[in-house]
Amino acid sequence: MLAVMELQVHYGGIAAVKGISFAVEENEIVCLIGANGAGKTSTLKALARMIPSHGEIHYGDQRIETLPSHELIAMGLALVPEGRGVFARLTVAENLMMGAYHRNDAKGIGADLERIHALLPRLMERRNQVAGTLSGGEQQMLAIGRALMGRPRLLLLDEPSMGLAPLMVQKVFEVVRKVAAEGVTVLLVEQNARLALEVCSRGYVMESGSITIADTSAALLADARVRTAYLGE
Amino acid sequence: MEILLQQIINGLTTGSVYAVVALGYTMVYGVIQLINFAHGEVVMIGAMVAFSIITALAGSSMPPLIIVLAGVMAAIPACMLMGYLLERVAYRPLRHAPRLAPLITAIGMSIILQHLALMVWGRSPLAFPQIIDNRVFGVGGAAISSVQIAIILLSLTMMAGLSWFVYRTRFGIAIRATAENVHVAGLMGVNADRVIAATFVIGAGLGAVAGVMYGTYYGIAHYTMGFSLGLKAFSAAVLGGIGNIAGAMLGGLLLGLVEALGTGYVGELTDLCTWPMAQGWLAEQCADGGHFVVFGSNYQEVFAFLMLILVLVFRPSGLLGERVSERA
């Protein structure tokens, strides 16, 4: 579904992503783990065309590296950005409406609202509240719900656990699992490697702009290098 | 009491024009954090275009209302096109330049448009032809003219229409989302270029009507009228909280009221003959009910800027410019 070849991202003269290649198959949950500053967020931003990059990005049977960011959601590619990026001054309902901005099927949008209502009941209780007044966890749920309103086929998630209390992190990951179970392919970027590897089937380890290890989650959880560097053992 | 009521009526009239012009500043600022200094000139060109049409048709047998409407209907698309071109030609290429560059460009565009108008319409002001029967109604000792009623009602209608558009329609929500975070709005499929162009076009369309109203109220249109009108409307936008749509409306009306009341009372308040301590050394001037006025009503222009300074000192974010916290 997604194949990345020799992806490079530069900020000024500094290389943040140094020619990485990886792939995500349909219906997989794949994670990209690594320390702060390894280039994970830059990789996702490049995939969502929010920053310029070099290298090939194949999505389905199309090349998307030359497309503008706003054309991707209609193709089924959604990103939940780092720090959630909810529209703080818009209400919860308006945020969700923005998620479906590119769609014109009022019926389908209504059905998806129902679906998200079932998935995130707490959120819907606050639908007329301004999103900036939600807690961090609720904002993360809203960001995911908003992305789902676009009916994505591939969901890119950037650090959904960031800044959340452990209990909330559990809930967020539960939602990610449910979303994946509904047939959405997920590429998950996380610093919390243990949690990420528990929901993912495969993982890539990123270190200072390069992918150093690629394996199944089970193998990564057993890998001595991963255990000492990312699992704190 | 009559003066108070009269000045409130006058203040609401000019204030509603300021409010409509201020919306153009605040919408653009909200989306790209640019103060479009050329907006006042767009408003001026709206008035000039409309006045030309109205003057040309004034001799015909068409009903006056239709003639004025024809003028407005010509001014709106002309200004919308100008707003679009301004953004496309002058500001879009500088979208990622340091913020000073588009600001200087805005001032440059303002000067260019002003001189363009000077070349087209000349140095002397265009007068509004005497075609409408401006009836005056008495309310509680004060007077309100049909032009004033029309200006206030039309402005309120436009403000209500814009609020509905921005708060209730899908594209309006996209404008607010883009104002808050252009990158995330892009992820939702919002084409930022289109939203930015739309704010210029909508602001210019509103400005066109405001220009015609302002010109009709004072009876003249002139190539320099956009400067002070624009600066006052900009002050109104800052007063309400720049970037905030409701704030621009409130700020405009408030500024109009303060200006009218200030102008109405400044002469009386600064008449030193009414000050006990000055009476000794002004005895000669004040004899037989004489006056010694320090600041007369020609100080009208001062109030808008005095208010701007006070806001910037005491409440820089403006009256409604409170920021909602981005993180819980």
Side-chain angles (χ1 to χ4, degrees), chain A residues 84 123 134-142 163-165 168 172, chain B residues 328:
Chain A
R84 309 180 273 270
L123 201 62
L134 299 179
S135 75
E138 287 165 336
Q139 289 191 11
Q140 186 63 60
M141 297 291 195
L142 175 58
L164 301 187
M168 209 62 216
V172 168

Side-chain angles (χ1 to χ4, degrees), chain B residues 144-224:
Chain B
I144 184 165
S145 69
S146 44
V147 166
Q148 284 181 311
I149 296 173
I151 288 174
I152 293 170
L153 288 182
L154 189 57
S155 302
L156 291 179
T157 310
M158 286 195 289
M159 288 188 247
L162 185 76
S163 303
W164 172 80
F165 174 73
V166 169
Y167 287 96
R168 290 284 173 265
T169 68
R170 198 161 73 139
F171 195 69
I173 296 171
I175 291 178
R176 285 188 291 137
T178 305
E180 208 174 314
N181 190 332
V182 63
H183 303 291
V184 177
L187 291 174
M188 312 286 119
V190 178
N191 183 343
D193 282 342
R194 205 182 287 172
V195 166
I196 293 165
T199 60
F200 275 88
V201 169
I202 295 167
L206 293 171
V209 183
V212 183
M213 294 192 300
Y214 198 70
T216 309
Y217 186 49
Y218 289 110
I220 58 164
H222 190 231
Y223 78 99
T224 56

Side-chain angles (χ1 to χ4, degrees), chain A residues 48 50 69-70 73 77 79 81 84-90 94-95 97-104 109 130 132-136 139 146, chain B residues 166-171 173-174 176-192 194-195 322-328:
Chain A
M50 293 172 80
S69 179
H70 65 263
I73 183 67
L77 195 156
L79 165 67
R84 309 180 273 270
V86 300
F87 300 116
R89 274 170 276 185
L90 269 53
E94 287 173 334
N95 268 278
M97 219 193 276
M98 281 309 295
Y101 179 75
H102 70 282
R103 296 169 59 182
N104 280 312
I109 293 172
V130 172
T133 62
L134 299 179
S135 75
Q139 289 191 11
R146 184 179 61 182
Chain B
V166 169
Y167 287 96
R168 290 284 173 265
T169 68
R170 198 161 73 139
F171 195 69
I173 296 171
R176 285 188 291 137
T178 305
E180 208 174 314
N181 190 332
V182 63
H183 303 291
V184 177
L187 291 174
M188 312 286 119
V190 178
N191 183 343
R194 205 182 287 172
V195 166
E322 256 181 297
R323 288 190 72 85
V324 176
S325 71
E326 314 259 325
R327 241 162 265 161

Side-chain angles (χ1 to χ4, degrees), chain B residues 238 305-318:
Chain B
V238 173
F305 307 113
L306 199 65
M307 210 153 159
L308 179 64
I309 292 167
L310 290 177
V311 168
L312 290 176
V313 170
F314 292 106
R315 201 174 158 84
S317 58

